[in-house]
Amino acid sequence: MTTSAQESQTLAQPSGVGAPETLAVAVASRQRPTSVTFWSQLKASLAMFSNRKSAAGLIIMGVFVLVAIFAPWIAPYDPNAQHLDETLQPPSLKHLLGTTHIGQDVFSQLVYGTRGVLVVGFLATIMATVVAIVIGVTAGYLRGWKSESLSALSNVFLVIPGLPLMIIVASQFEDPPLWLIAAVLGLTGWAWGARVLRAQTMSLRNRDFIQAARANGEPLHRIILVEMLPNLLAIIASSFVGTMTAAVLGLTTLAFIGVIPVSNLNWGTILFWAQQNNAFPDYWWWYVPAGLCIALLGVALSLINFGIDEYVNPRLRSAGERARAMKRKGININTAVTQVRATPQSTAPAAHPRESTTE
């Protein structure tokens, strides 16, 4: 009798000569092994964004991205348009976040400034992440003087003061384009991620599946791209988030101190003009929204990073899964005293103590 691998087989066999037949049930179940591909590993790595912290961070980041994309339709005015008869107006229905000293709409400047911050932040982060992956993974996989040379290069860029270098490079141009600012930020921000990836790659290169791929004669690029990178996606994502946070703070700092020309509108430029025209503390609508946007973007990136840390760290991941399972069952994990279900008391009559008699 022929059946499929997922079906059960029931065989009837006699237990002995002359004995009645008994049924011996043999259950054979063959499960087809799950194929591990790059896309399956990518899907498993993206599970780091399934918790509430990462979801909240991604939602906030998504709102900023939508504002940057649809800035011309969201902003009610031209951010550089001057209305000299409406200078330093507080927030109202006509100007949601008030106006500047020359009548510019603060809300429109904030919306268009989001585009500048995200463009520079993403470009700088992508450049830094690519360099960190190439140098970090290569330095971790190779051995000998090649690995040491790349490690020394990472150490050199790790100790270079980033802000003075950015000031020197940006000051050489009258109107530096956004890609140049992003390149400077990316050039000074890749070393930390490269060091982390090098350490993780050195741990992976001695694993059995890497040794098996090397023994099978797999080329170097396939070992790195197919075998190693899927296992480094969580570390790369964490490095990406940290680098973008540093890039945004670096951009706003350069704009606030006046290194970046005022034509490159971003949140730091708004703070620069507010500080130059003595907006502190009376005209709060000029500088508070930009500062809140910087803080909110930092919170979003931090929440995403918390989710990644929970995914990478097995202890945090198991603790988070256990806490979510307890919440689904209605158990408050913050309660100091464990509730014990009360059992009904026995209905049997209590025994009366013997009465002592005295003669």
Side-chain angles (χ1 to χ4, degrees):
M1 180 177 61
T2 304
T3 58
S4 62
Q6 299 296 330
E7 295 176 350
S8 300
Q9 297 178 350
T10 304
L11 305 177
Q13 297 178 351
S15 58
V17 178
E21 290 186 352
T22 59
L23 293 178
V25 180
V27 179
S29 177
R30 296 181 181 178
Q31 295 181 354
R32 181 176 298 176
T34 304
S35 59
V36 179
T37 61
F38 175 79
W39 297 110
S40 63
Q41 293 183 357
L42 178 62
K43 182 178 179 180
S45 298
L46 292 179
M48 69 183 76
F49 302 116
S50 61
N51 54 29
R52 295 182 179 179
K53 292 180 180 179
S54 295
L58 288 175
I59 290 173
I60 298 174
M61 178 62 68
V63 171
F64 279 120
V65 171
L66 292 178
V67 170
I69 294 174
F70 299 103
W73 294 273
I74 297 176
Y77 302 97
D78 184 355
N80 296 318
Q82 301 180 9
H83 305 277
L84 298 179
D85 56 338
E86 299 178 348
T87 60
L88 297 176
Q89 295 293 318
S92 61
L93 293 178
K94 187 176 182 180
H95 300 283
L96 297 179
L97 294 178
T99 59
T100 65
H101 66 297
I102 54 178
Q104 295 172 330
D105 186 68
V106 177
F107 178 73
S108 300
Q109 289 187 341
L110 197 69
V111 170
Y112 275 92
T114 305
R115 175 179 293 182
V117 169
L118 292 186
V119 167
V120 174
F122 275 111
L123 284 178
T125 305
I126 291 173
M127 293 179 187
T129 303
V130 170
V131 176
I133 292 174
V134 172
I135 295 182
V137 175
T138 305
Y141 183 81
L142 298 178
R143 302 173 187 270
W145 66 270
K146 297 179 180 179
S147 176
E148 296 299 329
S149 300
L150 294 176
S151 178
L153 180 64
S154 301
N155 294 334
V156 169
F157 276 88
L158 195 63
V159 299
I160 289 179
L163 186 60
L165 179 61
M166 288 185 289
I167 293 175
I168 293 173
V169 175
S171 62
Q172 302 300 317
F173 300 87
E174 295 182 358
D175 189 7
L178 292 179
W179 66 266
L180 179 62
I181 301 172
V184 175
L185 293 172
L187 182 65
T188 58
W190 63 268
W192 178 82
R195 293 288 298 175
V196 175
L197 288 174
R198 177 179 180 269
Q200 189 67 19
T201 305
M202 291 178 67
S203 174
L204 286 175
R205 71 184 182 186
N206 295 322
R207 301 288 179 87
D208 293 338
F209 64 96
I210 299 296
Q211 297 295 334
R214 188 185 295 114
N216 289 334
E218 299 288 347
L220 177 60
H221 67 275
R222 189 183 186 283
I223 294 177
I224 293 178
L225 293 178
V226 179
E227 302 293 342
M228 283 191 170
L229 281 186
N231 294 281
L232 295 174
L233 285 179
I235 305 296
I236 294 173
S238 179
S239 176
F240 187 92
V241 171
T243 305
M244 185 169 182
T245 304
V248 170
L249 292 178
L251 172 67
T252 53
T253 301
L254 289 174
F256 180 72
I257 63 179
V259 175
I260 298 177
V262 295
S263 58
N264 294 327
L265 187 62
N266 57 72
W267 298 336
T269 307
I270 298 175
L271 295 177
F272 168 79
W273 281 116
Q275 189 270 339
Q276 289 292 318
N277 293 276
N278 299 321
F280 303 93
D282 298 330
Y283 309 112
W284 57 269
W285 59 85
W286 196 351
Y287 58 87
V288 169
L292 287 178
C293 285
I294 296 174
L296 191 59
L297 183 59
V299 169
L301 294 173
S302 299
L303 289 175
I304 295 174
N305 201 15
F306 288 156
I308 296 173
D309 289 340
E310 181 177 334
Y311 178 83
V312 174
N313 193 331
R315 291 186 178 181
L316 292 178
R317 183 168 66 251
S318 60
E321 293 174 353
R322 188 162 52 249
R324 287 189 288 270
M326 293 176 67
K327 286 183 179 180
R328 285 193 296 267
K329 294 180 180 179
I331 302 175
N332 187 5
I333 60 176
N334 296 322
T335 304
V337 180
T338 304
Q339 297 180 357
V340 181
R341 181 180 297 177
T343 57
Q345 298 180 354
S346 175
T347 57
H352 294 284
R354 291 184 179 180
E355 296 181 358
S356 61
T357 57
T358 56
E359 294 181 355

